[in-house]
Amino acid sequence: MSDRPHLLADCENCFGLCCVALPFAASTDFAVDKRAGQPCSNLRADFRCGIHTRLRDKGFQGCTVYDCFGAGQQVSQVTFGGKSWRDDPASAPSMYAAFPVMRQLHELLRHLTEALTMEPARSLHAELRASFDAIARLTESDAETLVALDVAGHRAGVSELLLRSSELVRAGVPGRRAERRGADLMGARLKGADLRGANLRGACLIAADLRGADLRTADLIGADFRDTDLRGADLTGALFLTQPQLNAARGDASTVLPATLARPSHWSAAAARQGPSGGSDLAAPLRRVQGARP
């Protein structure tokens, strides 16, 4: 996304919206409860996080796997013209309501941007571009229009187009391709599995063992990777994989990643604690909190 910086989170130009607008519940992901619209106790006056470098140590792992895809600065600087909820408290409810809608729109733009780079899907590029432009126009709307949007309808249309793009790319993968869309694979033992070109859209892979698995060109859009063991897995060319998904998983130096994504900084320390056996003390609590995704 380096050529589209507006789809990358820019916390310097955001009013800490993810730290205020969104709720969270005490769990393995968050140390405390917080209701929507309540500023996190760690949010400073300058809208920075007071424990940003220690989030995992302080029990806020959920914060480290969240990404607004640039929606924060769009709402802060464009929708509300640079006036914060502290400057104008009356605008706060509208700002908080617009933010999650904008986040969904920016996520769609992120996936459409990736699809536009797929050579096998070139026949769909005109449709993809038109869809991108339509969603981009929506992000310029005022708060009232954003909140009233039929986001589910827009997501459905984009999802169908992304699936068609995915199918064209995965058609070039030799052999039989696994069809596990939306599958419940929580805790599944998939070590060394051949999942090249697999359809894992929306699959629940919480605490699954995918050590050494071949996930090249697999469609991973919306797959839940919380505590998934990706050590030694090959994710070359994985479709629609995002940084938050990787941040939620476990991996190591031998995990092969797409060139557009970064190796999470916490992987090395986590791998050292877990050792070669693959055991994790996070799997059990994650099974108890499989509700809302980060």
Side-chain angles (χ1 to χ4, degrees):
M1 300 296 111
S2 60
D3 61 333
R4 297 188 184 276
H6 64 290
L7 298 181
L8 298 173
D10 179 5
C11 299
E12 294 292 330
N13 286 300
C14 177
F15 300 140
L17 294 184
C18 63
C19 307
V20 185
L22 306 180
F24 51 72
S27 63
T28 56
D29 291 324
F30 297 100
V32 296
D33 292 324
K34 188 189 84 65
R35 68 178 185 276
Q38 173 190 354
C40 175
S41 60
N42 298 307
L43 184 66
R44 302 188 322 200
D46 61 359
F47 301 114
R48 295 172 182 265
C49 174
I51 59 169
H52 181 70
T53 60
R54 297 171 289 143
L55 284 167
R56 286 180 173 269
D57 294 337
K58 293 294 185 179
F60 288 86
Q61 175 175 299
C63 296
T64 70
V65 302
Y66 180 80
D67 192 333
C68 74
F69 300 109
Q73 69 260 25
Q74 180 72 11
V75 171
S76 298
Q77 302 301 327
V78 178
T79 312
F80 285 86
K83 183 174 288 188
S84 77
W85 47 272
R86 283 181 174 144
D87 296 330
D88 181 15
S91 70
S94 295
M95 191 177 296
Y96 301 159
F99 173 62
V101 175
M102 186 71 77
R103 195 269 184 190
Q104 292 191 66
L105 296 178
H106 272 235
E107 183 180 23
L108 294 179
L109 292 177
R110 187 260 184 232
H111 291 317
L112 286 165
T113 297
E114 180 177 343
L116 282 164
T117 69
M118 299 175 181
E119 185 61 31
R122 178 163 290 279
S123 62
L124 296 176
H125 281 193
E127 290 181 69
L128 289 164
R129 169 57 61 186
S131 182
F132 182 97
D133 291 344
I135 299 297
R137 285 193 294 272
L138 292 177
T139 67
E140 301 293 331
S141 304
D142 59 29
E144 184 178 359
T145 302
L146 285 169
V147 174
L149 283 178
D150 176 15
V151 181
H154 290 292
R155 289 190 72 94
V158 172
S159 179
E160 188 274 337
L161 190 53
L162 296 177
L163 177 58
R164 289 164 59 198
S165 301
S166 169
E167 289 173 340
L168 287 172
V169 175
R170 292 182 294 112
V173 177
R176 185 176 181 180
R177 298 178 296 278
E179 178 62 45
R180 304 307 303 271
R181 182 175 185 176
D184 183 358
L185 298 171
M186 179 185 287
R189 298 176 180 177
L190 297 167
K191 181 179 179 181
D194 183 357
L195 294 168
R196 287 175 298 172
N199 182 354
L200 291 166
R201 296 167 68 89
C204 175
L205 289 160
I206 296 175
D209 183 358
L210 281 167
R211 286 175 292 164
D214 190 345
L215 290 156
R216 288 176 292 171
T217 322
D219 187 337
L220 302 175
I221 194 169
D224 193 335
F225 275 101
R226 283 180 291 171
D227 201 38
T228 304
D229 196 338
L230 294 174
R231 287 178 290 169
D234 190 345
L235 293 153
T236 302
L239 307 180
F240 306 119
L241 179 66
T242 64
Q243 193 65 49
Q245 287 172 295
L246 284 181
N247 292 347
R250 293 182 288 132
D252 60 13
S254 65
T255 307
V256 183
L257 303 179
T260 56
L261 299 175
R263 195 173 307 278
S265 59
H266 66 273
W267 276 12
S268 297
R273 289 196 303 270
Q274 292 156 5
S277 66
S280 169
D281 59 358
L282 289 176
L286 275 170
R287 292 190 184 97
R288 295 196 295 270
V289 293
Q290 61 168 316
R293 296 181 181 179

